[in-house]
Amino acid sequence: MKKTLISVFALTLLTAPLSFVQAEEDAHQEVGHDHAASGDDHQEVTGEEGEHKEDHGEEGEHEEEGEHEEEGDHEEEGDHEEEGDHEEEGGHGHEDENGGHEEAATASINAKQKELAGIEVATLESKRVDYEIYAPGELLTNGYTSYHVSPRVASVVLRRHVELGEHVTKGQPLVTLFSETVAQAQADYRKAFPEWKRISGLGRSVVGDQRFNTAKANIEAARATLLAYGLNDDDIGALKASGVDSLGEYMLRARVDGAVLTDEFEQGQRVEAGQPLVTLADESELWVEAHLPASSDIVLEKGAEAEVRAAGRVGVATVSQEAHTIDPVTRTRIVRLELDNPEDRFHPGMFADVYFRFKTSEPVLAVPETALMRGADGDWTVYVEEAEGEYEPVEVELGRSIGGLREVSGLAAGQRVVLRGAFFVASEIAKGGFDPHNH
């Protein structure tokens, strides 16, 4: 019995160190799973330790694989951070160490390229600008001095007396017509005239007031009718002669000095009352109708001068009138000018180019439209010459349009700006692959 107890006690002493070793080994294996990157191998154990490791081996492999992936993620993230550091050191699209703005794109263009591209550079100055505004126009007859010759009653054309383009004087015969209505009016006059001549010779006191007034009214009415039909005093005077027997014939004469612009009729043609036969116009002064955009807000004072160019000839016209409505056909604002034409160099019907001249009331900074380009972000840009052959884009704000110029802000007087050839400069910058926003 005693031997049995001694054996059990001895066995307990032997197994206790083994349990302690097993617990210590489990602790080391758990630390190994948490820090797989260290790569330390655990000691091999026998007996119960080996079985324990085999049971947990698969779980350990999964944990070790996860730890390797996590380590890989950390390494990849570190690579990106390192790459970002290098990009920041390069200074492209980021602020520099001093906190300054991103670098501006520049283009280097040599003298030969500059000449071939037609690049024109000038120093920007703040000054009052003389400019002009263009408007298409047309030359017309002066409606206040021209004259349409037409019959007052239905008539037949008997003879013409002038030709197209001929210059005539006031009172000159233009065309002879025949009308039954005129014939009746002439006959009435010829009857009224002898009666009035006899009554007026006797006097009011002899014939009485009634007969005197009646005779006077008849002759005045007959005369007024003939004048209304287009006859003049000479024509009416000829009716007083007893030998006149061509009743119905009458003549239309020029009412103004001028040139025959139209003569759209033929001999023997029957024409209605009011139908134009001849158009006369004094071409010493013409009208110019200029068509400005309906949105134009320029102010044109009466007497303001404008240059008129038509058929290679140049003249100066003055503003006389301006319509207060928009033309329903052209949808434009019409301005009328008067053009002196003493040498008959201009003619009605010519198309004209009209240039209104202005001057800014105060100094402005302005560049030609050709100097403006759209930047990568869509903003308006001009190119400033920082040094010979070195050009840098500068964003500007646009102001009012001044003829072919545009007022700008964002520049300073004294800077040298590309006026022409800006597209070539922009192309050179684009070839360099510069992106101001680092997109």
Side-chain angles (χ1 to χ4, degrees):
M1 181 67 178
K2 288 182 180 180
K3 289 181 181 181
T4 303
L5 292 174
I6 292 171
S7 299
V8 171
F9 179 75
L11 182 61
T12 302
L13 292 176
L14 289 173
T15 58
L18 291 175
S19 300
F20 178 77
V21 171
Q22 178 67 40
E24 184 178 2
E25 184 66 19
D26 289 343
H28 279 293
Q29 185 174 355
E30 183 176 355
V31 172
H33 287 313
D34 294 336
H35 302 282
S38 63
D40 295 335
D41 296 331
H42 298 288
Q43 294 180 350
E44 294 184 357
V45 295
T46 61
E48 294 179 3
E49 293 177 358
E51 293 175 358
H52 183 76
K53 184 174 181 180
E54 182 177 355
D55 293 337
H56 294 282
E58 183 177 353
E59 180 180 355
E61 289 175 2
H62 284 295
E63 291 177 356
E64 184 175 357
E65 180 179 354
E67 289 169 359
H68 280 297
E69 291 176 355
E70 182 178 356
E71 180 179 358
D73 293 339
H74 284 299
E75 291 175 357
E76 184 177 353
E77 180 178 354
D79 292 340
H80 282 296
E81 291 176 356
E82 183 177 357
E83 181 181 350
D85 293 339
H86 284 298
E87 184 176 345
E88 183 173 356
E89 291 175 2
H92 294 290
H94 295 280
E95 295 183 355
D96 58 20
E97 296 180 356
N98 297 327
H101 297 289
E102 59 187 24
E103 293 183 8
T106 58
S108 297
I109 300 175
N110 58 41
K112 186 170 184 62
Q113 289 176 314
K114 183 176 179 181
E115 181 181 357
L116 291 175
I119 297 176
E120 180 182 336
V121 182
T123 302
L124 193 62
E125 298 179 8
S126 178
K127 60 182 180 180
R128 296 179 65 183
V129 179
D130 292 321
Y131 64 100
E132 57 186 23
I133 294 179
Y134 166 77
E138 182 181 3
L139 271 63
L140 305 173
T141 59
N142 187 327
Y144 298 157
T145 60
S146 59
Y147 196 88
H148 287 290
V149 179
S150 60
R152 314 291 176 83
V153 294
S155 306
V156 175
V157 178
L158 297 181
R159 294 177 296 278
R160 66 163 60 239
H161 304 290
V162 293
E163 297 178 351
L164 183 66
E166 183 178 343
H167 286 267
V168 300
T169 58
K170 184 177 180 179
Q172 182 175 334
L174 302 176
V175 58
T176 298
L177 304 171
F178 174 84
S179 170
E180 301 89 341
T181 305
V182 173
Q184 183 60 52
Q186 290 172 333
D188 292 341
Y189 183 84
R190 291 186 66 178
K191 290 190 298 183
F193 178 70
E195 179 67 13
W196 165 247
K197 185 177 181 181
R198 188 178 67 85
I199 294 297
S200 62
L202 293 174
R204 183 189 298 269
S205 60
V206 175
V207 300
D209 291 340
Q210 183 175 356
R211 288 187 63 188
F212 185 88
N213 291 335
T214 300
K216 183 178 181 181
N218 290 338
I219 192 63
E220 289 179 346
R223 184 176 185 277
T225 301
L226 293 174
L227 291 174
Y229 289 165
L231 281 69
N232 60 16
D233 291 334
D234 293 336
D235 297 328
I236 295 174
L239 292 174
K240 300 175 184 179
S242 58
V244 177
D245 56 359
S246 55
L247 295 179
E249 287 191 15
Y250 68 104
M251 191 176 296
L252 297 181
R253 292 178 170 83
R255 297 296 180 99
V256 295
D257 296 341
V260 177
L261 301 185
T262 62
D263 61 346
E264 299 177 357
F265 67 94
E266 296 179 357
Q267 296 180 143
Q269 176 182 350
R270 184 172 180 85
V271 293
E272 298 300 322
Q275 180 178 339
L277 299 181
V278 177
T279 301
L280 301 177
D282 181 4
E283 292 186 297
S284 62
E285 184 180 81
L286 300 177
W287 278 352
V288 181
E289 283 195 353
H291 297 263
L292 289 167
S295 59
S296 175
D297 58 355
I298 65 172
V299 178
L300 297 170
E301 298 181 355
K302 187 174 181 179
E305 293 187 348
E307 185 178 86
V308 177
R309 301 175 186 173
R313 303 154 196 171
V314 180
V316 177
T318 56
V319 175
S320 61
Q321 301 167 4
E322 181 178 357
H324 287 272
T325 58
I326 302 301
D327 187 278
V329 177
T330 62
R331 307 305 302 169
T332 55
R333 170 185 166 193
I334 297 179
V335 177
R336 181 175 292 167
L337 305 94
E338 294 179 351
L339 174 65
D340 289 333
N341 187 35
E343 299 177 0
D344 200 27
R345 297 186 303 132
F346 299 96
H347 303 286
M350 284 183 173
F351 290 109
D353 296 321
V354 183
Y355 297 89
F356 296 96
R357 295 174 177 173
F358 300 91
K359 190 169 188 174
T360 57
S361 57
E362 56 187 17
V364 296
L365 288 176
V367 297
E369 299 281 355
T370 54
L372 298 170
M373 294 290 294
R374 287 282 190 183
D377 54 1
D379 292 333
W380 287 108
T381 303
V382 299
Y383 296 96
V384 176
E385 186 179 55
E386 297 294 342
E388 183 64 33
E390 298 291 330
Y391 303 96
E392 178 181 352
V394 176
E395 290 185 359
V396 295
E397 294 290 335
L398 300 187
R400 57 185 166 168
S401 179
I402 308 175
L405 303 177
R406 198 64 181 267
E407 188 177 7
V408 294
S409 57
L411 297 173
Q415 290 183 292
R416 289 182 58 77
V417 175
V418 175
L419 303 184
R420 303 194 191 288
F423 181 79
F424 182 82
V425 178
S427 300
E428 288 298 304
I429 292 177
K431 277 197 242 179
F434 177 77
D435 186 348
H437 295 289
N438 197 28
H439 291 162

